[in-house]
Amino acid sequence: MKIVIPILIFFAAIVLQTTLVQFASIFHILPNLVLTVGISWAILRSYKETVLCGLFAGIMLDMLSGTEFGIKTISLIIILIGVNLLAKEFLSGPRILLLTSLSFAGTIFYGLMNFYLLNLTFYLKLIHFKPELTWYVLVGQGVYNMLLVFLVFWILSKIDKWLLYYSKQVKLSR
Amino acid sequence: MKRFFSSKPLLFIATSIFIMLLVFLNRGGLLGVPKGLFFRIVVPSQKLVLKVTRPIFNFSDAIISIRDLQRQNRELQQKLNKCLTENTQFEEIKLENEKLRQALDIRLKRDWRLLPANISGFDPENLGEFIMIDKGEKDGLNKDNPVIIADGILVGRITETSHCCSKVLLTTNSTSSINALIQPSRASGIVKGEHGLGLMMEMILQGKEIKVGDIVITSGLGGVFPKGLVIGQIEEVRSSTNEIFQTAILKLLLNIEDLEMVFVITDY
């Protein structure tokens, strides 16, 4: 149950990302629901769960996207691990500040890592690499994710509370 | 084992090895079965979500853009009137053309074989890079089959097929490059995608006269796309006397978000 729920959450996020989210584009910028869910989950849950969820979500993203297999998985796992470590061990302060800053920075680094890894696979050598377009997309998405993360975090914190309650009940019944 | 995975660095190393293994398996084409199973679960879920949400978004869009729609309606009415006049002239030319063809015994090119397909999902991260369609190998689709909408407007080409679905690389994808012709001037060039945001036509020779509003079509060179598919319309021309080539920014004649059904050209 402990791992089934996050898997279902990430599966739903991927399905929504490839369908519903496409209708929410503003100036051709889309939010990254999977990344937002991942960042919120990494703030709320343990390191182990963050890695496993990142792995699962990354593999699904790789299967559904057209880029070289593995790029999304590696980028997502590294970003989520970074967010988890920063939120649990290094950063403290108001949660709103933590959420917005990690969401914005996470989006930017995730995008840059994607580009960097694509470059390593020679993918970008074939295309027009336009820094101004890349920054437009990345910063736009960062702002969009920063707004979306509040709603996502609120929903996930409810699920997190329920999961904690459920695991306590299981322990007590033993 | 549990203790092994409870260590953070060890879990990270184990995950990295697992990812590398998946990458190599994928390169060797050994992930076909798990991918196929995954698509069998994902595609119906995507189709269900799109079926439920699309009418809601279409309705809300219609309400929000009612003033725009009125303006568009007026403009379209004017265009329609113009087209009706032109159509009458074209009918005459067509009849004349048919007579001439008969006289010269030239046969028209055979029709394309089209297969309709529904959009089952979009690119997870960038709008305008890829779409998923609900037809795959079982329906006879192959890699590089061109994908169009009903009006003969090019959407893209198939890059990956599985049993039940296929991935379509859109013309706006940064890796897409198509040999193209500007219809009135017959100037040739290469149309490239712009990060899923638009299209750009390059390598147009300086001497060629091109203007805003000209239609760009596929040239048929390269063998992937048949000749005459509409790619876009010129929106801006960038020309400088000290450059060998001109560049044109193209307007897409389709809205990717609104796509519901496409046609795959299986034979041409």
Side-chain angles (χ1 to χ4, degrees):
Chain A
M1 186 62 122
K2 212 175 159 186
I3 199 71
V4 172
I5 298 290
I7 281 176
L8 286 176
I9 291 169
F10 277 92
F11 182 79
I14 295 249
V15 170
L16 291 178
Q17 180 71 40
T18 52
T19 52
L20 195 68
V21 170
Q22 311 294 321
F23 300 106
S25 79
I26 300 174
F27 301 116
H28 288 278
I29 302 289
L30 287 178
N32 193 329
L33 185 64
V34 181
L35 184 64
T36 313
V37 169
I39 288 171
S40 303
W41 204 247
I43 294 171
L44 287 166
R45 307 292 292 181
S46 67
Y47 176 86
K48 187 180 162 187
E49 220 172 286
T50 302
V51 173
L52 292 176
C53 289
L55 180 70
F56 175 74
I59 291 169
M60 285 202 297
L61 277 177
D62 270 325
M63 283 188 185
L64 285 167
S65 67
T67 51
E68 199 72 34
F69 192 90
I71 286 171
K72 308 268 182 215
T73 313
I74 295 167
S75 309
L76 194 65
I77 282 189
I78 290 173
I79 294 302
L80 296 191
I81 286 175
V83 168
N84 180 269
L85 292 176
L86 283 172
K88 302 270 176 189
E89 289 176 29
F90 296 105
L91 295 179
S92 58
R95 205 158 230 194
I96 290 180
L97 203 66
L98 198 72
L99 255 182
T100 46
S101 55
L102 285 177
S103 162
F104 186 76
T107 309
I108 302 285
F109 281 112
Y110 174 75
L112 289 176
M113 198 167 287
N114 261 317
F115 277 113
Y116 182 69
L117 291 173
L118 284 171
N119 214 356
L120 279 181
T121 57
F122 303 108
Y123 179 86
L124 281 188
K125 300 247 161 94
L126 303 168
I127 66 172
H128 287 279
F129 182 71
K130 291 199 167 166
E132 70 276 12
L133 268 180
T134 310
W135 282 110
Y136 165 76
V137 172
L138 282 182
V139 174
Q141 198 174 57
V143 173
Y144 212 152
N145 284 353
M146 220 162 66
L147 300 171
L148 184 71
V149 81
F150 289 106
L151 176 70
V152 172
F153 189 82
W154 180 76
I155 296 168
L156 292 182
S157 57
K158 298 273 171 206
I159 296 170
D160 178 53
K161 272 181 193 161
W162 180 82
L163 276 174
L164 287 172
Y165 174 78
Y166 177 81
S167 49
K168 267 184 196 167
Q169 291 294 316
V170 170
K171 269 182 194 167
L172 283 173
S173 65
R174 277 174 192 166
Chain B
M1 195 62 142
K2 205 173 175 180
R3 223 174 140 174
F4 176 84
F5 283 112
S6 65
S7 159
K8 284 178 185 174
L10 287 177
L11 179 62
F12 182 73
I13 292 164
T15 313
S16 307
I17 293 168
F18 182 67
I19 297 168
M20 291 304 153
L21 186 72
L22 284 180
V23 170
F24 284 117
L25 286 174
N26 185 61
R27 288 232 162 188
L30 297 167
L31 284 184
V33 176
K35 270 187 179 177
L37 280 171
F38 171 71
F39 288 135
R40 275 185 194 202
I41 302 166
V42 165
V43 171
S45 319
Q46 288 176 322
K47 280 170 85 174
L48 182 73
V49 174
L50 278 178
K51 201 176 173 184
V52 174
T53 55
R54 203 187 277 273
I56 301 166
F57 278 98
N58 287 349
F59 181 69
S60 59
D61 275 357
I63 288 173
I64 292 164
S65 57
I66 209 148
R67 195 167 276 183
D68 275 348
L69 287 172
Q70 281 175 335
R71 184 183 49 80
Q72 273 179 10
N73 196 28
R74 276 196 301 274
E75 285 173 7
L76 287 171
Q77 192 61 48
Q78 285 169 356
K79 276 186 184 169
L80 180 70
N81 293 341
K82 197 183 161 199
C83 286
L84 279 170
T85 328
E86 282 177 357
N87 201 30
T88 331
Q89 291 166 353
F90 287 142
E91 281 297 324
E92 285 300 312
I93 295 166
K94 194 179 156 192
L95 281 170
E96 193 183 307
N97 194 24
E98 270 170 21
K99 281 176 192 167
L100 288 168
R101 275 181 188 280
Q102 278 168 5
L104 292 165
D105 196 26
I106 298 171
R107 281 193 309 168
L108 277 168
K109 274 203 309 186
R110 66 195 166 112
D111 288 337
W112 301 324
R113 195 173 291 164
L114 300 175
L115 182 81
N118 291 308
I119 309 288
S120 64
F122 298 88
D123 192 299
E125 289 180 2
N126 294 310
L127 182 72
E129 297 269 3
F130 278 89
I131 52 169
M132 296 277 294
I133 55 170
D134 66 347
K135 293 285 187 306
E137 284 160 2
K138 69 176 168 54
D139 307 289
L141 298 194
N142 294 310
K143 199 182 164 193
D144 285 339
N145 280 159
V147 179
I148 59 167
I149 55 170
D151 312 325
I153 297 171
L154 184 66
V155 175
R157 67 182 163 89
I158 290 175
T159 50
E160 199 181 317
T161 53
S162 75
H163 182 71
C164 62
C165 57
S166 304
K167 233 176 251 180
V168 179
L169 178 113
L170 299 174
T171 52
T172 49
N173 188 300
S174 307
T175 54
S176 162
S177 104
I178 307 159
N179 284 304
L181 278 177
I182 297 168
Q183 213 176 23
S185 65
R186 313 313 283 172
S188 63
I190 294 168
V191 173
K192 288 184 172 176
E194 290 273 284
H195 289 263
L197 301 171
L199 294 168
M200 186 181 266
M201 187 166 176
E202 294 179 335
M203 315 283 275
I204 311 161
L205 282 173
Q206 273 297 347
K208 298 283 180 181
E209 196 189 322
I210 52 172
K211 56 182 189 298
V212 173
D214 284 354
I215 297 288
V216 177
I217 56 167
T218 51
S219 70
L221 287 172
V224 177
F225 301 105
K227 192 177 178 178
L229 295 174
V230 178
I231 303 172
Q233 193 174 25
I234 295 181
E235 203 172 36
E236 189 190 328
V237 180
R238 288 177 188 169
S239 180
S240 169
T241 44
N242 55 2
E243 282 175 14
I244 311 165
F245 298 108
Q246 302 181 78
T247 307
I249 307 291
L250 307 190
K251 187 171 90 179
L252 264 182
L253 297 173
L254 55 94
N255 192 353
I256 288 148
E257 291 162 62
D258 296 338
L259 284 181
E260 284 179 46
M261 184 182 250
V262 290
F263 293 90
V264 184
I265 304 176
T266 52
D267 189 19
Y268 65 91

